[in-house]
Amino acid sequence: MKKLIAIALIAFSFGATSAELVCGGTVDVLAYHANNKLMIKLSNMNTPVFFCSPDSEWVVSGTPYKTGPQTCQTLYSTFLAAKLANKSLSSVYFDGDQVPADCNSWGSWANANIRYFVVN
């Protein structure tokens, strides 16, 4: 019985590092940072988050999802259009090891993968 409990604890610990978070709101910040990374901050987030690179495949630890350069450029264009039109993003799914428990608790310079979003 003790061996089964130990195995179960080990199995659960491997999946515990990755997180998923759904945030929403208007696009407050859309930024570029050196080394070809793009950042986004929604109105209900405390700080901008790196979400892709327009030059290379974006891979974030803790998630199997990847974002290619063309998809990154499309995401940026869509988020820029939403910002200019003052449209709300109702659901932006962030994945990865650096994703916090809530939208207002991001760490500085965090990386995340955007898996899905909806523009209202």
Side-chain angles (χ1 to χ4, degrees):
M1 183 66 165
K2 288 182 183 180
K3 285 184 181 181
L4 288 176
I5 292 172
I7 292 170
L9 289 174
I10 291 169
F12 285 118
S13 69
F14 285 114
T17 58
S18 181
E20 172 190 294
L21 178 64
V22 182
C23 299
T26 57
V27 178
D28 281 354
V29 175
L30 196 56
Y32 167 83
H33 195 279
N35 295 332
N36 300 323
K37 295 180 183 178
L38 297 175
M39 302 177 86
I40 190 167
K41 179 191 172 291
L42 302 177
S43 57
N44 74 341
M45 294 169 62
N46 61 315
T47 190
V49 174
F50 291 110
F51 70 94
C52 72
S53 171
D55 291 332
S56 60
E57 186 174 71
W58 183 253
V59 178
V60 175
S61 64
T63 181
Y65 302 109
K66 299 174 184 176
T67 303
Q70 290 178 330
T71 301
C72 178
Q73 293 168 23
T74 301
L75 288 172
Y76 179 82
S77 297
T78 303
F79 295 151
L80 180 59
K83 180 173 178 51
L84 294 174
N86 202 32
K87 291 287 187 177
S88 179
L89 302 172
S90 63
S91 301
V92 179
Y93 285 71
F94 293 95
D95 294 294
D97 287 345
Q98 297 178 11
V99 173
D102 64 73
C103 298
N104 210 16
S105 298
W106 288 93
S108 297
W109 310 108
N111 294 309
N113 183 277
I114 294 178
R115 166 171 42 103
Y116 174 85
F117 71 92
V118 176
V119 178
N120 290 338

